[in-house]
Amino acid sequence: MMRKRAITLKDIAQQLGLNKSTVSRALRDHPDVSRKTKDEVKSLAQKLKYKPNAVASSLRHKKSNVIGLLVPQISYFFLPSVIQGIEEVVHKNGYNLLILQSNESYEREVENLDILIANNVEGILASVSRETKDFSHFKDVIEMDVPIVFYDRVVKDLDTDLVLLDDTSAAYNAVLHLIDKGKKRIAICTGNTNLLISRNRLEGFKMAHKNRGISFFEEYIVSSEWPEEAKSKTMSLLELPEPPDAIFAISDLNLSGVMQAIYAKNLVVPKDISVVAFCEEPFRNMYHPSITAIQPKGMEIGRTSAEILFQRIKTSLYTESDPRVIYLDGDLVIGGST
Amino acid sequence: MMRKRAITLKDIAQQLGLNKSTVSRALRDHPDVSRKTKDEVKSLAQKLKYKPNAVASSLRHKKSNVIGLLVPQISYFFLPSVIQGIEEVVHKNGYNLLILQSNESYEREVENLDILIANNVEGILASVSRETKDFSHFKDVIEMDVPIVFYDRVVKDLDTDLVLLDDTSAAYNAVLHLIDKGKKRIAICTGNTNLLISRNRLEGFKMAHKNRGISFFEEYIVSSEWPEEAKSKTMSLLELPEPPDAIFAISDLNLSGVMQAIYAKNLVVPKDISVVAFCEEPFRNMYHPSITAIQPKGMEIGRTSAEILFQRIKTSLYTESDPRVIYLDGDLVIGGST
DNA sequence: ACGGGTTGTGCAACCGGTTGTTATTTGTTT
DNA sequence: AAACAAATAACAACCGGTTGCACAACCCGT
């Protein structure tokens, strides 16, 4: 790579007849350097368009100023909001984000974690892939004392901070809302049961039924990982001899599939069927009537998990305060779909 | 930062009574190292959970294996698709992505570019912020011979590769479609005119009118940067004594605002008003009826720009082949909204 | 047994900043 | 004017992996 060699401290030092260490200190306003030297150094640096080499600096003092972000998939509605929130906090703290996608693959998750470590990240924000059942790769990281905070799709029993929605009670409230609107045959389109999130949301669904003393139907519980799957499974639901009078979609992905099925069957929401979902605000409103939805609060989850991470990074790790588990409330916003 | 010291080559070397250079070569299967030594080194490395330090390696041979990605904003529909496409190619090539967001701010764009350079990225994929009018920061990068490819929101006259939609002709086709459906009063909700993209799409709008020999109304041309703004401007349009009978939204952000206005006015699509937009497939279908849309082909733009970038990176830069401008066709997908 | 060619490993410099220590200059004090 | 302190800058080692070169050990043929 015969790239034009970049300007280094040494270049500046030579041109001014100084030592590179002096130049380094001058640029960082170290008190040991005289005003005059500082001025000379700085103006020459500017003239030569000197750009410090973060890699070298990082190697020396093991501060990379980079936070690693592990996401299952960037696409769709929820994660961009989370990233937005994280980015805000990370930038505020003068750090950058190295974002790696597992694409829901366990192997890539492991690989990505290695990459983050190799790049000297000072902390990690992670949401696990659907496939992941074994968490030893995270344990390794924890043993290296790289702080890690899980968001949204968390891992329990790992002695780390967690930031997540209070899924069970949010789902509980949503389903309660449906029941109290008089719905008797509520279906749920849940997700991969590897994920705690899916199990918790289903749990809320069941609790609401139990609490109101009505029973739910096993055949109304379907699970899906992609919109297409959600669509076809919803189609089947709607073709049952006794189709549901309400559907609860536990993610925006599932919601989009559910709605496509409803459109395909020419059903009118909420007259023929009610819909409730976990769904971010801007997207809830894309539907007409708008969807009654639990706000997954992506932005807030992102912000909070990043804040927590920086607390770990900044207070010496060895103060070892207990791991924090932060539950955010997923508010139910009533739309026209119920 | 009193972190538990990570295992280094030196540690392995000492334990085996070797020199770290030999260990380094052993791990990389250098032919000079004997089978026996390699086996010993590798098994000890595994046992100690040795993780190579990419920072040190990068400092030495100036290959960071990182591609810098400059995005205006991750949120919303289009960019996640682009990132998805980029990520695919970048991963395939064994590289990682350092993603930085300008948040549509010129200053952050400049700052982010510096960060990418400081981190020794081997190439840059960039989409400019709305604010940016001066491009000298990009020139600096080009002078350092760091290959850069612009995608979507490109900068011309900079002697770099560009990957973008053929916006003018896509817009032209979309508006032609409206005209041929008998629409006479077509409004356009365009974007910030700093962006070539906005100007080109508007140009297509005008060309279609001209080509069919009908005139457009200046007051039907509104521009918006956010959904809320799009909503309020559309509201005003709809309140005109002679409201438009069709609206063309040049982005998914604008589309969502336009639709909200239409819903608020209780208009029925397409009976009362037709809608056409630049909009990714999954989102087009969230509306009912589905929106007739030009596919912005985010995934493809991402993939293509990354491929082009790697071609630059891999073939020596000094082969200086002419910059390539790649136009993708934005197919018009007919939905129920027209 | 000796010269020439492999094979396997060590040594030391290097990448570009950073930092502890030392050396030199300047200024202050009595 | 000697003695010492403060200010300023140079020197060298270091971070961890990489690489050109030196070098020792070994094999072969003659």
Side-chain angles (χ1 to χ4, degrees):
Chain A
M1 182 122 15
M2 271 283 300
R3 187 164 298 172
K4 205 176 300 175
R5 213 175 52 73
I7 303 295
T8 71
L9 287 187
K10 209 169 143 195
D11 299 321
I12 299 181
Q14 280 173 345
Q15 291 199 32
L16 293 174
L18 290 170
N19 186 283
K20 64 175 181 168
S21 63
T22 306
V23 175
S24 167
R25 287 192 249 252
L27 287 172
R28 283 174 302 135
D29 267 325
H30 189 105
D32 278 4
V33 179
S34 69
R35 178 81 271 132
K36 180 168 151 291
T37 310
K38 276 181 189 165
D39 291 344
E40 286 173 5
V41 168
K42 283 181 184 170
S43 81
L44 182 59
Q46 194 152 34
K47 200 178 107 203
L48 297 179
K49 289 185 184 161
Y50 167 73
K51 315 249 183 207
N53 182 330
V55 173
S57 162
S58 159
L59 176 60
R60 178 62 229 252
H61 57 213
K62 290 162 172 213
K63 249 188 111 291
S64 59
N65 264 275
V66 175
I67 297 297
L69 174 58
L70 238 47
V71 299
Q73 270 221 325
I74 291 184
S75 336
Y76 294 100
F77 319 140
F78 177 66
L79 271 168
S81 312
V82 176
I83 296 178
Q84 193 76 11
I86 289 174
E87 208 277 338
E88 192 181 287
V89 175
V90 166
H91 178 251
K92 193 182 71 192
N93 281 275
Y95 279 63
N96 300 308
L97 267 187
L98 186 54
I99 306 179
L100 298 177
Q101 250 183 296
S102 69
N103 269 315
E104 305 288 5
S105 140
Y106 166 73
E107 302 214 337
R108 285 207 53 191
E109 188 174 286
V110 174
E111 185 190 322
N112 285 344
L113 217 44
D114 276 347
I115 293 174
L116 292 183
I117 296 301
N119 282 306
N120 260 346
V121 297
E122 293 180 47
I124 293 174
L125 294 165
S127 200
V128 300
S129 99
R130 280 204 280 257
E131 275 187 5
T132 309
K133 293 176 179 169
D134 173 73
F135 302 104
S136 50
H137 49 307
F138 288 115
K139 272 193 196 136
D140 294 347
V141 169
I142 294 166
E143 273 168 24
M144 302 175 94
D145 283 322
V146 177
I148 179 165
V149 175
F150 288 98
Y151 65 91
D152 189 48
R153 299 189 188 170
V154 307
V155 178
K156 299 220 161 178
D157 314 318
L158 227 47
D159 258 28
T160 60
D161 299 316
L162 311 179
V163 177
L164 68 167
L165 220 59
D166 187 346
D167 290 301
T168 310
S169 83
Y172 173 85
N173 288 333
V175 175
L176 223 52
H177 167 76
L178 286 174
I179 295 174
D180 293 350
K181 282 274 177 179
K183 303 299 163 187
K184 299 265 183 280
R185 334 188 104 263
I186 306 173
I188 179 172
C189 185
T190 182
N192 188 312
T193 49
N194 265 358
L195 298 174
L196 193 58
I197 250 183
S198 305
R199 297 200 300 272
N200 285 343
R201 291 177 184 185
L202 179 57
E203 176 65 18
F205 170 87
K206 291 181 177 171
M207 275 171 54
H209 281 84
K210 191 168 171 194
N211 203 281
R212 284 294 188 264
I214 70 174
S215 53
F216 58 86
F217 306 87
E218 281 295 341
E219 70 267 34
Y220 283 176
I221 302 178
V222 299
S223 83
S224 142
E225 311 201 344
W226 302 106
E228 303 70 43
E229 195 181 357
K231 178 177 179 182
S232 70
K233 294 213 171 155
T234 306
M235 292 290 261
S236 310
L237 283 178
L238 298 176
E239 283 160 7
L240 287 176
E242 288 202 302
D245 57 8
I247 300 190
F248 173 34
I250 73 143
S251 72
D252 38 31
L253 255 71
N254 282 354
L255 172 63
S256 93
V258 166
M259 291 304 291
Q260 278 178 45
I262 290 175
Y263 292 151
K265 288 283 174 195
N266 271 311
L267 298 179
V268 177
V269 175
K271 189 170 69 67
D272 302 325
I273 191 163
S274 289
V275 177
V276 171
F278 277 80
C279 183
E280 287 287 354
E281 191 57 24
F283 306 103
R284 180 178 86 75
N285 283 317
M286 289 178 63
Y287 294 97
H288 187 65
S290 62
I291 305 294
T292 294
I294 299 152
Q295 299 191 291
K297 296 199 174 165
M299 187 89 80
E300 211 172 320
I301 288 185
R303 267 199 288 257
T304 309
S305 48
E307 295 281 13
I308 303 259
L309 182 64
F310 279 110
Q311 287 172 20
R312 288 278 170 203
I313 290 175
K314 293 191 169 164
T315 70
S316 168
L317 290 172
Y318 288 94
T319 53
E320 291 281 359
S321 59
D322 289 333
R324 286 203 266 166
V325 179
I326 297 192
Y327 285 104
L328 302 180
D329 287 325
D331 308 325
L332 188 67
V333 183
I334 309 297
S337 69
T338 53
Chain B
M1 182 123 14
M2 272 284 299
R3 186 164 300 170
K4 204 176 299 175
R5 212 177 53 72
I7 304 295
T8 70
L9 286 186
K10 208 169 145 193
D11 298 322
I12 298 181
Q14 280 172 348
Q15 290 199 32
L16 292 175
L18 290 170
N19 186 282
K20 64 176 180 166
S21 62
T22 306
V23 175
S24 166
R25 288 190 254 252
L27 287 171
R28 285 173 301 134
D29 267 327
H30 189 107
D32 279 3
V33 179
S34 69
R35 178 80 270 133
K36 180 167 152 290
T37 311
K38 276 181 189 167
D39 291 344
E40 285 173 8
V41 168
K42 284 181 184 171
S43 81
L44 182 59
Q46 193 152 35
K47 201 177 106 203
L48 297 180
K49 289 184 185 164
Y50 166 74
K51 314 251 184 204
N53 182 329
V55 173
S57 162
S58 158
L59 176 60
R60 179 62 229 251
H61 58 213
K62 290 159 172 217
K63 250 189 110 292
S64 59
N65 264 275
V66 175
I67 296 298
L69 175 58
L70 238 47
V71 298
Q73 269 221 328
I74 290 184
S75 338
Y76 293 100
F77 320 140
F78 177 66
L79 270 168
S81 313
V82 176
I83 296 178
Q84 193 77 13
I86 290 174
E87 209 277 337
E88 191 182 288
V89 175
V90 167
H91 178 251
K92 193 182 70 192
N93 282 275
Y95 279 63
N96 300 308
L97 267 186
L98 186 55
I99 305 179
L100 297 176
Q101 251 183 293
S102 69
N103 268 314
E104 306 288 5
S105 140
Y106 167 73
E107 302 215 336
R108 286 207 53 192
E109 187 174 286
V110 174
E111 187 190 322
N112 285 345
L113 217 42
D114 276 347
I115 293 173
L116 292 184
I117 296 301
N119 282 84
N120 259 348
V121 297
E122 293 179 47
I124 293 175
L125 293 165
S127 199
V128 301
S129 99
R130 280 204 281 256
E131 276 188 4
T132 307
K133 292 176 182 169
D134 173 75
F135 302 105
S136 50
H137 49 307
F138 287 116
K139 274 195 196 133
D140 294 347
V141 169
I142 294 167
E143 272 168 24
M144 303 174 95
D145 283 322
V146 177
I148 179 166
V149 174
F150 287 98
Y151 64 91
D152 190 46
R153 299 188 188 171
V154 306
V155 179
K156 299 221 161 179
D157 313 318
L158 227 48
D159 257 28
T160 60
D161 299 315
L162 311 178
V163 177
L164 69 165
L165 219 59
D166 186 347
D167 290 301
T168 311
S169 83
Y172 173 84
N173 289 333
V175 175
L176 223 51
H177 168 76
L178 286 174
I179 295 175
D180 294 348
K181 281 273 177 182
K183 302 300 162 186
K184 299 263 183 279
R185 332 189 105 263
I186 305 173
I188 179 170
C189 185
T190 182
N192 188 312
T193 49
N194 265 356
L195 299 174
L196 192 59
I197 250 182
S198 306
R199 297 201 300 273
N200 285 343
R201 292 177 185 185
L202 180 56
E203 176 64 20
F205 170 86
K206 291 181 178 174
M207 273 172 54
H209 281 84
K210 192 168 168 193
N211 204 280
R212 284 292 187 264
I214 71 174
S215 54
F216 59 85
F217 306 88
E218 281 295 339
E219 70 266 34
Y220 282 177
I221 301 178
V222 300
S223 83
S224 144
E225 311 203 343
W226 302 108
E228 303 71 41
E229 195 183 356
K231 179 177 179 183
S232 71
K233 294 212 171 157
T234 305
M235 292 290 262
S236 310
L237 283 178
L238 298 175
E239 283 158 7
L240 287 175
E242 288 201 302
D245 57 8
I247 300 190
F248 174 33
I250 73 143
S251 72
D252 40 30
L253 255 72
N254 282 355
L255 172 64
S256 92
V258 165
M259 290 306 290
Q260 279 178 45
I262 290 175
Y263 292 152
K265 288 286 175 193
N266 271 310
L267 299 179
V268 176
V269 174
K271 189 171 69 69
D272 302 326
I273 190 163
S274 290
V275 177
V276 170
F278 276 81
C279 183
E280 287 286 353
E281 191 56 25
F283 306 105
R284 182 179 84 75
N285 283 317
M286 289 178 64
Y287 293 98
H288 188 65
S290 62
I291 305 294
T292 294
I294 298 152
Q295 299 192 290
K297 296 201 175 161
M299 187 87 82
E300 211 171 319
I301 287 185
R303 266 199 288 256
T304 309
S305 48
E307 295 282 12
I308 301 261
L309 183 64
F310 279 110
Q311 287 172 18
R312 288 277 172 205
I313 291 175
K314 294 191 169 165
T315 70
S316 170
L317 290 172
Y318 288 94
T319 53
E320 291 282 0
S321 57
D322 289 333
R324 286 204 266 166
V325 179
I326 297 192
Y327 285 104
L328 302 179
D329 287 325
D331 309 325
L332 186 67
V333 184
I334 309 298
S337 70
T338 53

